[in-house]
Amino acid sequence: QVQLSESGGGSVQAGGSLRLSCGTSGYTGSDRQTGSLAFMGWFRQAPGKEREGVATIHTDGRTRYAHSVEGRFTISKDSAKNTLFLQMNSLKPEDTAMYFCAADRSPFWSIKDPIPWRDPNYWGQGTQVTVSS
Protein backbone atom coordinates (compact mmCIF):
# COMPACT_ATOMS: atom_id res chain seq x y z
CA GLN A 1 0.00 0.00 0.00
CA VAL A 2 1.33 3.40 -0.98
CA GLN A 3 2.28 5.57 2.00
CA LEU A 4 3.27 9.22 2.02
CA SER A 5 4.95 11.01 4.93
CA GLU A 6 5.66 14.74 5.10
CA SER A 7 8.34 16.53 7.10
CA GLY A 8 10.00 19.93 7.24
CA GLY A 9 7.20 22.08 8.53
CA GLY A 10 7.72 24.63 11.26
CA SER A 11 7.39 28.24 12.31
CA VAL A 12 9.13 31.06 10.47
CA GLN A 13 8.83 34.80 10.16
CA ALA A 14 7.48 36.43 7.04
CA GLY A 15 10.07 36.49 4.30
CA GLY A 16 11.67 33.28 5.51
CA SER A 17 11.99 29.91 3.83
CA LEU A 18 11.12 26.29 4.51
CA ARG A 19 11.65 23.09 2.58
CA LEU A 20 9.06 20.38 2.87
CA SER A 21 9.85 16.77 2.07
CA CYS A 22 7.54 13.86 1.34
CA GLY A 23 8.87 10.35 1.67
CA THR A 24 7.06 7.65 -0.23
CA SER A 25 6.88 3.88 0.07
CA GLY A 26 4.78 0.87 -0.80
CA TYR A 27 5.06 1.07 -4.56
CA THR A 28 4.51 -1.98 -6.69
CA GLY A 29 4.95 -2.83 -10.34
CA SER A 30 5.70 0.01 -12.69
CA ASP A 31 5.39 2.52 -9.87
CA ARG A 32 8.46 0.99 -8.25
CA GLN A 33 10.42 1.33 -11.48
CA THR A 34 9.76 5.03 -11.68
CA GLY A 35 10.24 5.55 -7.96
CA SER A 36 7.00 7.38 -7.63
CA LEU A 37 3.45 7.59 -8.74
CA ALA A 38 3.07 9.41 -12.04
CA PHE A 39 1.31 12.46 -10.64
CA MET A 40 2.24 14.12 -7.36
CA GLY A 41 1.50 17.38 -5.64
CA TRP A 42 1.24 19.52 -2.55
CA PHE A 43 -1.99 20.78 -1.05
CA ARG A 44 -2.67 22.95 1.98
CA GLN A 45 -5.54 23.73 4.30
CA ALA A 46 -5.75 26.72 6.60
CA PRO A 47 -8.12 26.81 9.58
CA GLY A 48 -11.65 27.55 8.47
CA LYS A 49 -10.75 27.32 4.79
CA GLU A 50 -11.11 24.69 2.11
CA ARG A 51 -8.13 22.61 1.07
CA GLU A 52 -6.39 24.02 -1.99
CA GLY A 53 -3.82 22.79 -4.45
CA VAL A 54 -0.39 24.40 -4.11
CA ALA A 55 1.72 22.72 -6.81
CA THR A 56 1.86 19.60 -8.92
CA ILE A 57 4.56 17.75 -10.81
CA HIS A 58 3.95 15.18 -13.52
CA THR A 59 6.08 12.17 -14.33
CA ASP A 60 7.68 14.04 -17.22
CA GLY A 61 8.77 16.80 -14.82
CA ARG A 62 6.31 19.46 -15.88
CA THR A 63 5.00 21.57 -13.03
CA ARG A 64 2.08 23.83 -12.24
CA TYR A 65 1.53 26.20 -9.34
CA ALA A 66 -1.38 27.97 -7.75
CA HIS A 67 -1.32 31.66 -8.62
CA SER A 68 -0.79 32.56 -4.96
CA VAL A 69 2.58 30.78 -4.78
CA GLU A 70 3.99 31.24 -8.28
CA GLY A 71 7.50 32.61 -8.22
CA ARG A 72 7.94 31.77 -4.52
CA PHE A 73 7.48 27.99 -4.28
CA THR A 74 9.25 25.25 -6.23
CA ILE A 75 8.11 21.63 -6.44
CA SER A 76 10.62 18.93 -7.31
CA LYS A 77 11.20 15.24 -6.84
CA ASP A 78 14.10 12.85 -6.46
CA SER A 79 12.92 9.62 -8.02
CA ALA A 80 16.02 7.73 -6.90
CA LYS A 81 15.14 8.51 -3.27
CA ASN A 82 11.38 8.34 -3.78
CA THR A 83 11.03 11.82 -2.31
CA LEU A 84 8.94 14.86 -3.23
CA PHE A 85 9.98 18.36 -2.18
CA LEU A 86 8.45 21.80 -1.86
CA GLN A 87 10.87 24.70 -1.49
CA MET A 88 9.00 27.67 -0.07
CA ASN A 89 10.64 31.10 -0.20
CA SER A 90 9.40 34.59 0.67
CA LEU A 91 6.81 33.09 2.96
CA LYS A 92 3.80 35.18 3.91
CA PRO A 93 1.43 34.90 6.88
CA GLU A 94 -1.29 33.77 4.47
CA ASP A 95 0.83 30.70 3.66
CA THR A 96 0.10 29.42 7.17
CA ALA A 97 -1.62 26.06 6.81
CA MET A 98 -1.31 22.30 7.13
CA TYR A 99 0.55 21.10 4.05
CA PHE A 100 -0.20 17.70 2.53
CA CYS A 101 1.68 15.59 0.04
CA ALA A 102 -0.54 13.71 -2.42
CA ALA A 103 -0.14 11.32 -5.33
CA ASP A 104 -2.07 9.32 -7.91
CA ARG A 105 -1.50 7.08 -10.91
CA SER A 106 -3.86 9.22 -12.98
CA PRO A 107 -3.87 12.99 -13.53
CA PHE A 108 -5.63 15.15 -10.96
CA TRP A 109 -4.28 18.57 -11.95
CA SER A 110 -3.68 19.62 -15.54
CA ILE A 111 -0.55 21.61 -16.27
CA LYS A 112 -2.81 24.04 -18.13
CA ASP A 113 -5.08 24.79 -15.17
CA PRO A 114 -4.42 26.89 -12.04
CA ILE A 115 -6.31 24.48 -9.79
CA PRO A 116 -6.70 20.68 -9.60
CA TRP A 117 -9.89 19.14 -10.90
CA ARG A 118 -10.15 16.30 -8.38
CA ASP A 119 -8.60 14.95 -5.21
CA PRO A 120 -5.76 12.44 -5.67
CA ASN A 121 -6.09 8.98 -4.14
CA TYR A 122 -3.07 8.93 -1.83
CA TRP A 123 -2.37 11.42 0.96
CA GLY A 124 0.14 12.03 3.70
CA GLN A 125 -0.77 13.05 7.24
CA GLY A 126 0.35 16.64 6.79
CA THR A 127 2.95 18.97 8.25
CA GLN A 128 2.16 22.34 9.81
CA VAL A 129 3.63 25.54 8.42
CA THR A 130 3.19 28.73 10.45
CA VAL A 131 4.36 32.12 9.18
CA SER A 132 4.33 35.06 11.58
CA SER A 133 4.31 38.71 10.56
Side-chain angles (χ1 to χ4, degrees):
Q1 182 175 349
V2 174
Q3 293 184 327
L4 309 176
S5 178
E6 305 91 339
S7 62
S11 297
V12 296
Q13 290 190 332
S17 298
L18 283 174
R19 189 190 195 203
L20 304 184
S21 299
C22 174
T24 63
S25 63
Y27 299 119
T28 59
S30 59
D31 299 335
R32 181 182 297 165
Q33 294 176 7
T34 62
S36 67
L37 296 183
F39 304 92
M40 304 189 75
W42 290 95
F43 289 71
R44 67 185 181 185
Q45 187 166 21
K49 294 187 177 180
E50 293 187 355
R51 187 170 58 198
E52 63 176 351
V54 175
T56 187
I57 185 166
H58 288 192
T59 188
D60 59 6
R62 292 182 299 163
T63 58
R64 179 73 199 213
Y65 299 89
H67 289 319
S68 59
V69 306
E70 276 184 323
R72 300 187 298 122
F73 290 11
T74 302
I75 187 172
S76 62
K77 64 180 179 180
D78 184 337
S79 295
K81 297 182 178 180
N82 299 338
T83 305
L84 182 71
F85 301 100
L86 184 68
Q87 178 66 43
M88 305 185 295
N89 298 328
S90 302
L91 283 162
K92 304 175 181 180
E94 51 263 45
D95 294 319
T96 295
M98 184 72 76
Y99 283 71
F100 299 90
C101 170
D104 203 308
R105 294 181 177 86
S106 298
F108 55 87
W109 188 347
S110 170
I111 298 299
K112 299 179 181 179
D113 296 331
I115 58 174
W117 73 67
R118 68 173 181 89
D119 282 343
N121 283 331
Y122 302 102
W123 293 87
Q125 295 299 308
T127 185
Q128 179 67 37
V129 171
T130 302
V131 184
S132 58
S133 57

